[in-house]
Amino acid sequence: MSDPAPVQHFIRSIVEADLASGKHAAVTTRFPPEPNGYLHIGHAKSICLNFGLALDYQGSCNLRFDDTNPEKETEEYASAIQDDVRWLGFQWNGAVRWASDYFPALYDYAEALITKGLAYVDDLTPEEMREYRGTLTQAGRASPFRARAWEENLDLFRRMKAGEFPDGSRTLRAKIDMASPNMNLRDPVIYRIKRAHHIRTGDAWCIYPMYDYTHCISDALECITHSLCTLEFEDHRPLYDWVLEQLPVPSHPRQIEFSRLELHYTVTSKRKLNQLVTQGHVSGWDDPRMPTIHGMRRRGYTPEGIREFTRRIGISKSENVVDMAVLEGAIREDLETKVPRVMAVVHPLKLVLSNYQDGLTASRAAGFHPNHPEFGERIVAISREIWVEQDDYSENPPAGWQRLTPGGEVRLRYSYVIRCDEAIKDDEGNVTELRCSIDHETLGKNPVGRKVKGVIHWVSASHCLPIEVRLYDRLFLDPIPDGHKDRDFLEFLNPESLTVVSGWAEACVREAAPETRYQFERLGYFCADRHDYRGERLAFNRTVTLKDNWSK
Ligand code: ATP
Ligand code: MG
């Protein structure tokens, strides 16, 4: 990986200080997704931070699944997440880790807490527990079961594990402080009874540890040095530290919080993304309109472009609300120098070159990239009939028009200057065909005695390849679709986020393997779909337009 130099931020400063002082010999981070959905652009920020630090300081980064909610977690999600991390260009240290690998250790630590009088089995119902918990302005009250002797707690906890009690009837709670101003310290539940099949442990357990209890111990067992998470966990840090201080764990990682990425015109919550999928608003988790890593990949975004985006948005504790244009800009810049340029027509209008003459009218070779001769070249074939873009013709053009208009001249990219002689219309007055004539003196030469400024793209009808083109627009019409109190985010779906059209491309794209990217000149960057082939017809997804069409 040869990315530009990292941008300095407060977490890097902490890591550097810890390495300089000898507090740590090496940095160890982890990326801890829950396998309950596909990862999105916000996760990409966290991945680039955690794996990026490990790379920059020659440390290591673990991939650990936080699999403590068996009902929502699947193998499909877990394997998609691994694909995403690798596709972004990162490799985790050693084997994939699972919080469930630590279930036996977590259980033993829970017994240790009980024995020390620091955890108790509670029989309150969830409603009662909520009531006892108090509010932000009112201290909580002790559960009547808080005073149980440790021996009884140990016996009950063992029986919880053995499956003697129904789901939800009892919990194990840490005994901390019911009057703490921090609600997270008011005797948080650390184990619950739940008969659910787990993707890794099957039916071995009917009690599952809670996230806050599991996460800190998992970090400690892996000797993570810096445990990086988003700001909503700031109030959980005292609990993170409390658990580790009570137990004989091998290390005490430092939790550091940073702000989550919010991207305008989309949502970054697995729950909401799941809703888009299950309710059929998109074709799946990898629909190219989704802000998921799978979706962005299918759309044609590059790992380098996404990494560059996360570099640009930085890491801090202040709000990180970013416009889509920043992401698109990073992708566009990456593609600009990397991908071959060819011609395709997405809204085709037939154009007949009336003085086309076999033997006289010639095709020309053209390079695939103006600055990269090593990309090679191809022959841009011409024939009597060609396709041009409908909106490159206007009968009553605005001032300064440099494209097709009756009597006007324009250059066909990599070919001749032509003059538009006549437009053929149907009964309703729609232009169905243009008749034009070639100036045969203009192949690779300027016309004599006049300037022709306009250049349009086109393809030869007898050589081109039919393509399906998916034109994507923003999925939502509102910058913060889930930011309205009284309105559901789905109300802001953009009904025109996808337009599918039939077009034509130069024949040289015929061999395009899935995920091959091109610039279609004047139109944007496109990517051959990973999945869809309709017989001979290749499908191309528009990755991004050439210019930002939104900020004008
Ligand atoms: P979601 O809210 O979408 O369900 P999550 O936080 O529950 O996300 P996890 O699988 O727990 O999803 O996240 C794994 C890691 O990614 C966590 O460390 C989390 O802090 C981080 N992360 C999740 N969303 C963002 C975001 N928008 N910006 C930065 N980091 C994020
Ligand atoms: Mg989470």
Side-chain angles (χ1 to χ4, degrees), residues 30-47 49-50 64 66 81 211 215 228-233 258-263 267-273 313 315 320:
R30 86 287 170 265
F31 174 63
E34 180 176 0
N36 64 347
Y38 282 64
L39 300 183
H40 53 63
I41 185 70
H43 295 112
K45 173 180 178 177
S46 177
I47 292 172
L49 172 63
N50 281 293
R64 183 205 314 139
D66 156 34
I81 289 169
Y211 173 83
H215 193 73
L228 313 178
C229 61
T230 35
L231 274 174
E232 66 269 25
F233 290 101
F258 62 96
S259 47
R260 9 176 350 111
L261 166 67
E262 313 279 356
L263 197 59
V267 291
T268 44
S269 142
K270 279 188 276 190
R271 189 180 58 76
K272 289 174 191 140
L273 295 174
I313 60 173
I315 296 288
N320 195 205

Side-chain angles (χ1 to χ4, degrees), residues 2 75 78 128 135 174 198 219 235 277 286-287 299 303 332 343 394 446-447 483 499 532:
S2 57
E75 285 289 357
E128 288 168 331
T135 63
H198 186 282
D219 279 350
D235 290 344
V277 174
D286 72 345
D287 186 303
R299 181 149 171 173
R332 193 182 287 121
M343 292 192 288
S394 174
N446 284 324
T499 310
D532 293 342

Side-chain angles (χ1 to χ4, degrees), residues 165-170 193-196 206:
F165 310 119
D167 284 9
S169 61
R170 290 194 155 99
I193 307 175
K194 178 112 249 170
R195 285 166 180 79
C206 66

Side-chain angles (χ1 to χ4, degrees), residues 36-44 76-77 84 260-296 324 475-476 481-482 488-490 493:
N36 64 347
Y38 282 64
L39 300 183
H40 53 63
I41 185 70
H43 295 112
E76 178 199 335
Y77 295 144
D84 286 341
R260 9 176 350 111
L261 166 67
E262 313 279 356
L263 197 59
H264 272 162
Y265 295 100
T266 191
V267 291
T268 44
S269 142
K270 279 188 276 190
R271 189 180 58 76
K272 289 174 191 140
L273 295 174
N274 196 352
Q275 210 176 326
L276 291 172
V277 174
T278 51
Q279 297 183 4
H281 301 292
V282 293
S283 65
W285 283 100
D286 72 345
D287 186 303
R289 291 167 293 178
M290 291 280 272
T292 52
I293 298 176
H294 262 61
M296 294 190 287
M324 193 70 95
L475 189 49
F476 291 96
D482 50 358
D488 191 72
F489 75 104
L490 295 171
L493 275 169

Side-chain angles (χ1 to χ4, degrees), residues 106 109-124 129 133 141-143 145-148 153 157 160 170-180 182-192 208-214 216-217 236 238-247:
L106 289 160
Y109 283 133
E111 286 206 350
L113 284 179
I114 293 170
T115 313
K116 287 175 78 176
L118 293 171
Y120 60 99
V121 172
D122 199 350
D123 304 357
L124 289 185
M129 207 181 284
R133 208 165 162 238
R141 284 181 293 140
S143 159
F145 305 99
R146 196 176 201 261
R148 270 178 172 148
N153 284 319
F157 186 53
M160 278 168 63
R170 290 194 155 99
T171 55
L172 183 71
R173 298 178 71 175
K175 196 182 210 170
I176 309 179
D177 179 4
M178 286 307 291
S180 172
N182 184 338
M183 303 286 280
N184 294 303
L185 295 181
R186 294 188 187 173
D187 292 10
V189 171
I190 58 175
Y191 266 91
R192 68 218 155 105
Y208 289 100
M210 301 300 285
Y211 173 83
D212 278 328
Y213 174 74
T214 309
C216 53
I217 296 178
H236 297 237
L239 177 55
Y240 184 103
D241 290 330
W242 182 90
V243 171
L244 297 186
E245 277 155 18
Q246 315 311 319
L247 294 168

